[in-house]
Amino acid sequence: MSTTSRSLADDIRGRSDRELIDLVLARPDLARPAPADLSSLAARASTKASAQRAIEALDRGHLQVLEALVVAGDPAPLPEVLQLLGTDDEATVEAHVADLWTAALLWRGADGTHVVRTVPDVLGTLVGLGPPFPERRPGATAPAGDSLRAAIAAAPAAARAILDRLTWGPAVAVLPEGGAGATAARWLLEHHLLVAASTDRVALPREVALLLREGRLHRETTLLAPELTSRPVSAQTVDDVAGGAANEMLSRIDELASAWGAEPPRVLRAGGLSVRDLKRTQERLDVPAGFAGFLVEIAYAAGLVADDGEIVPVWAPTAEVDEWSASEGGRRWASLAIAWLTTTRASHRVGTRVADAPVNALGPDVQWPAIRAIRREVLSGLAGLPPGHAADADALRARLLWRRPLRPSRLLAEAVGGVLREAEWLGVTGRGALSTPGRTLLGHHVSPGGTDTAERGAGDIASSRESLAAAMSAYLPAPIDHILLQADLTAVAPGPLVGSLAAFMRLASDVESRGGATVHRFTSGSVRRALDAGWTADDVLETLRRSSSTAVPQPLEYLVSDVARKHGVTRVGSGAAYVRSEDRGVLEALLAARELGPLALRRIAPTVLVSSADPGALADMLREHGFSPVLEGRDGGVVVAEPARRRAGSRHRTAPPALSPIDEAFTQALVSGLRVAEANADVRRAHDVARLGPTIPATDPVVSLALLRDAIADRHGVWIGVSDRYGATTRHLVHPRRVEAGRVYATDETGREQSYSVHRITGATLEAPST
């Protein structure tokens, strides 16, 4: 590493291969697209957008050190940085400075450490500090520290109260119009403790603020992460609870697919699921509101439900749901867990308000890319604890707030709480601790370098999915093929049922209660539902006898037989609609019932009635009043009312082009290429400088502007290519002076000032150093 650098570009060119690899790993955005050479890498690293991404990734400790370096001046002496931080932990500060240098937020010159030019612009107002005296009063000399201390000590009480309010920011206040406040403000202005920011505002100069803060930059310096407190919990209990939660999740997704397959809810005009339909789904599944939103969102993320794309669109299960339901439990859970970890949809936002509008499930406002990184950080925090230890939720929030200090604290706290709830519902955690399948999920899909499944090959994804499925299968209850029938018309399923039996029980019974065992209740309505689907009474009873470990109770046999006896006695067909029955007493009862008056029934034959009502509506109304009709087709046969199986079209997702992960091997190859490109560029510059000047490669406008701004700061010459109105490109050696209003102002080789439109600059490269 060179210590005689004049700029960030010189610093980066002087770094070793290992140091360059560490830079790219710390800032992966620099690698795509691959820079042409090290100069382009340095130019990209110094752009405001890239610097902002790097700063947003800093934790509070590194951010506080960076802020202290900016305030300390250029270059920043270490003793002054330690004083600003209010610490004597020199080793930790030096380690943080080294990390910031590795990330190219600093560069090292012969005179010390310098902050990259764009960093102060990204940081903006520093921890409530105002500008220094010279910026407020150009050309004026800042008052001496001793005189400022004396003025502060002599300040009247009212003046001192104003200073106390401004000490920790904001550093600007409205000038009082009269009274004691105006007198105090005038006194502070006269003694240079405040400066005028405008006609009606005053500002606290940075030098005064630091004196009031006793030389400290922050109220509290936290260079290291807060301790993550935890409580012990049995590791076996954690995995058992996680397995139970995963089994419950799989069961609920099955029920959701069944419910939406029969009665798919409408898609809102603006996209999403209406509040009323979400409430109906919640009641149908008998789950809390938050859990209902999570269920539909994870089903959508896993590709199990989708907008069917019809003229009147509905949310319906996709074709993949049938294959998913028939798969082994561990594989089903693995697909849900991977979808949850990698999706950018934040289900905890469902039901909240964004921009004073409600956030609907499956709507566009649920999209929040930041949630994916938050999930990984929460799980990584839990993974840092020994197995069988659950993190304290408040301590985990504090750790995440320290890890992401630039994110709004309220949003981050809500997101952490949402991730913890979802992880518990899904079985990634149990009793607040990371489960064994959860650790497998984290290990396979979040690498130390931040690589996720989007950057892995298909073989790696399939392998990790299988190992994840195996990890959860060990803790899922084994599906059982029997139930326990009871005399009170209920059946107890002591565990998850196998697919065919589960489908039958959903059809022929209603769930009464859930828990370690599920209680199903048989009613006349549920039995009729099975008969409407084409089952006979003998089929129902035979399935119950075959599936029950106990004998079929007599009351249940009576219920099935009684419903079957009445079922189909009355038949409804289309005429508009007709009702026919061999039992004339039933027809007489229909004609005599006042409640059926709206149907306008009339007799056309001893065993036939007709109505103008729709056949389906007619059958429903007769059922509501105690009759048991069946629909009859045009051929006189019974219409089997199979449960609706609405399916949305498959969501064919176009796979993105395969990208190599930005890992050690990738960065080594990239750095080797950059070394070769830089050597070739040096040879070309040395060869071309004697002719017409160096070859000017076409560069991204952002990179060109960054090179020009670096040249302004370092007073370097730059070769630029400029396209004229006819498309011809000319080359100019210039010394840039400023960039403003979309134009570059520079002096050419003759010393005359020229201006160039930024959009016409095709590329830029630094002038070769003289030998």
Side-chain angles (χ1 to χ4, degrees):
M1 179 198 70
S2 173
T3 58
T4 59
S5 304
R6 298 180 301 165
S7 65
L8 176 63
D10 282 349
D11 181 286
I12 287 180
R13 282 193 290 268
R15 297 191 184 196
S16 66
D17 286 359
R18 180 68 255 173
E19 290 166 343
L20 289 173
I21 290 172
D22 291 340
L23 165 59
V24 176
L25 290 176
R27 294 175 64 174
D29 64 292
L30 301 180
R32 290 205 174 107
D37 51 31
L38 291 177
S39 297
S40 297
L41 178 69
R44 188 177 298 173
S46 64
T47 61
K48 189 173 182 179
S50 182
Q52 183 168 354
R53 280 192 288 269
I55 290 173
E56 286 178 349
L58 297 178
D59 56 46
R60 190 177 300 280
H62 286 83
L63 182 62
Q64 288 183 340
V65 171
L66 183 61
E67 290 171 336
L69 288 165
V70 172
V71 174
D74 191 32
L78 182 60
E80 187 171 346
V81 172
L82 293 172
Q83 181 181 355
L84 287 168
L85 293 171
T87 180
D88 57 0
D89 190 353
E90 186 173 335
T92 300
V93 173
E94 286 182 336
H96 283 7
V97 170
D99 292 338
L100 295 171
W101 175 83
T102 297
L105 294 173
L106 308 175
W107 60 275
R108 293 169 177 164
D111 55 348
T113 301
H114 301 260
V115 177
V116 172
R117 173 181 43 79
T118 51
V119 168
D121 296 335
V122 173
L123 290 176
T125 302
L126 288 167
V127 288
L129 285 179
F133 269 111
E135 291 187 23
R136 286 296 184 186
R137 293 181 175 179
T141 303
D146 291 339
S147 65
L148 291 177
R149 290 188 186 91
I152 292 172
R160 186 57 193 248
I162 294 177
L163 293 177
D164 290 341
R165 286 197 300 270
L166 299 177
T167 296
W168 294 101
V172 178
V174 177
L175 186 65
E177 294 183 356
T183 303
R186 190 179 307 110
W187 188 94
L188 292 171
L189 288 168
E190 292 172 352
H191 289 78
H192 307 293
L193 297 180
L194 291 180
V195 295
S198 64
T199 56
D200 61 343
R201 293 179 183 273
V202 292
L204 184 69
R206 179 174 298 180
E207 295 83 352
V208 178
L210 289 175
L211 287 176
L212 293 169
R213 298 181 185 189
E214 298 179 349
R216 291 182 294 114
L217 191 58
H218 308 92
R219 286 181 185 269
E220 181 182 1
T221 299
T222 51
L223 299 180
L224 300 176
E227 182 180 358
L228 188 59
T229 57
S230 63
R231 65 181 190 282
V233 58
S234 167
Q236 186 62 46
T237 300
V238 169
D239 291 333
D240 290 342
V241 170
N247 179 67
E248 178 76 4
M249 174 63 64
L250 299 180
S251 174
R252 298 297 191 181
I253 295 291
D254 279 332
E255 293 181 27
L256 176 69
S258 176
W260 282 15
E263 299 179 20
R266 292 276 296 272
V267 177
L268 294 176
R269 183 176 301 176
L273 182 70
S274 70
V275 175
R276 180 180 61 184
D277 286 330
L278 180 61
K279 179 69 173 178
R280 185 180 294 118
T281 300
Q282 173 196 345
E283 293 173 349
R284 177 88 176 258
L285 301 182
D286 191 24
V287 295
F291 191 26
F294 176 61
L295 278 173
V296 300
E297 282 291 341
I298 196 172
Y300 176 75
L304 303 179
V305 298
D307 177 344
D308 68 351
E310 298 294 336
I311 296 176
V312 180
V314 296
W315 294 108
T318 63
E320 284 86 348
V321 78
D322 300 310
E323 180 182 355
W324 180 84
S325 296
S327 300
E328 186 269 333
R331 289 191 175 91
R332 299 167 68 198
W333 180 84
S335 65
L336 296 180
I338 294 172
W340 173 74
L341 186 65
T342 58
T343 184
T344 55
R345 299 183 65 82
S347 64
H348 74 274
R349 305 183 81 184
V350 173
T352 61
R353 301 186 74 83
V354 173
D356 204 32
V359 177
N360 294 95
L362 304 180
D365 290 332
V366 182
Q367 192 77 14
W368 191 37
I371 192 63
R372 185 160 57 181
I374 294 173
R375 286 194 196 104
R376 293 172 184 155
E377 290 175 5
V378 169
L379 296 184
S380 297
L382 295 175
L385 298 172
H389 281 74
D392 178 74
D394 292 336
L396 190 59
R397 289 188 186 93
R399 172 74 71 92
L400 266 292
L401 288 172
W402 181 88
R403 182 69 185 83
R404 287 284 183 263
L406 295 180
R407 292 203 178 275
S409 58
R410 181 184 62 82
L411 292 180
L412 189 58
E414 290 176 355
V416 171
V419 169
L420 291 175
R421 285 193 304 273
E422 293 168 9
E424 198 78 13
W425 287 334
L426 188 56
V428 174
T429 61
R431 299 284 176 86
L434 198 62
S435 64
T436 300
R439 291 182 185 275
T440 304
L441 173 68
L442 188 65
H444 280 293
H445 295 274
V446 181
S447 70
T451 303
D452 61 21
T453 51
E455 294 182 336
R456 294 175 183 265
D460 292 337
I461 294 175
S463 175
S464 63
R465 191 181 294 266
E466 288 300 316
S467 60
L468 182 59
M472 178 51 82
S473 295
Y475 302 102
L476 285 174
I480 59 174
D481 59 358
H482 65 276
I483 55 175
L484 304 175
L485 293 174
Q486 301 185 116
D488 60 351
L489 300 181
T490 61
V492 177
L497 300 176
V498 294
S500 58
L501 181 55
F504 169 75
M505 293 301 292
R506 281 197 298 270
L507 179 66
S509 66
D510 299 319
V511 175
E512 188 168 82
S513 66
R514 305 175 190 273
T518 304
V519 178
H520 299 260
R521 178 166 293 279
F522 296 94
T523 65
S524 58
S526 67
V527 173
R528 187 178 66 236
R529 191 166 63 230
L531 298 178
D532 287 343
W535 292 66
T536 65
D538 291 340
D539 293 336
V540 172
L541 292 174
E542 177 59 28
T543 301
L544 291 174
R545 291 189 186 99
R546 188 174 61 250
S547 304
S548 177
S549 298
T550 58
V552 178
Q554 195 174 51
L556 181 55
E557 287 189 1
Y558 285 165
L559 174 66
V560 175
S561 300
D562 187 56
V563 172
R565 179 177 56 81
K566 297 178 181 178
H567 189 264
V569 171
T570 305
R571 300 192 174 195
V572 176
S574 58
Y578 65 84
V579 181
R580 72 177 184 88
S581 177
E582 299 300 326
D583 188 343
R584 298 186 182 185
V586 172
L587 298 183
E588 294 293 341
L590 292 176
L591 291 170
R594 293 183 178 180
E595 301 83 0
L596 301 179
L599 296 176
L601 293 169
R602 60 188 179 87
R603 190 192 300 270
I604 61 171
T607 58
V608 180
L609 306 179
V610 295
S611 171
S612 59
D614 176 82
L618 176 58
D620 289 341
M621 193 165 182
L622 293 183
R623 287 168 181 159
E624 290 175 5
H625 291 84
F627 299 93
S628 297
V630 295
L631 288 170
E632 191 171 83
R634 294 181 179 181
D635 59 355
V638 176
V639 176
V640 176
E642 295 184 0
R645 292 171 57 83
R646 186 72 172 266
R647 293 291 182 265
S650 299
R651 290 165 56 192
H652 297 292
R653 304 174 185 176
T654 303
L659 296 175
S660 301
I662 300 177
D663 53 15
E664 189 82 15
F666 176 87
T667 52
Q668 283 180 351
L670 176 66
V671 168
S672 298
L674 291 176
R675 287 291 189 202
V676 172
E678 188 69 18
N680 292 337
D682 288 341
V683 171
R684 283 198 309 272
R685 282 194 290 265
H687 181 266
D688 293 341
V689 72
R691 301 187 298 120
L692 300 176
T695 301
I696 303 174
T699 54
D700 185 274
V702 174
V703 174
S704 297
L705 280 175
L707 281 170
L708 290 167
R709 290 194 174 101
D710 284 342
I712 294 171
D714 302 326
R715 299 182 180 180
H716 286 171
V718 179
W719 283 94
I720 60 174
V722 181
S723 174
D724 61 21
R725 70 176 71 180
Y726 303 108
T729 301
T730 57
R731 306 186 319 161
H732 305 268
L733 175 60
V734 298
H735 287 76
R737 294 290 179 257
R738 65 186 188 280
V739 179
E740 62 185 23
R743 300 189 69 83
V744 176
Y745 295 88
T747 55
D748 60 16
E749 295 177 271
T750 65
R752 291 180 298 180
E753 183 169 301
Q754 306 286 346
S755 68
Y756 306 91
S757 295
V758 171
H759 73 277
R760 291 193 178 276
I761 297 178
T762 61
T765 186
L766 293 176
E767 180 187 13
S770 59
T771 57

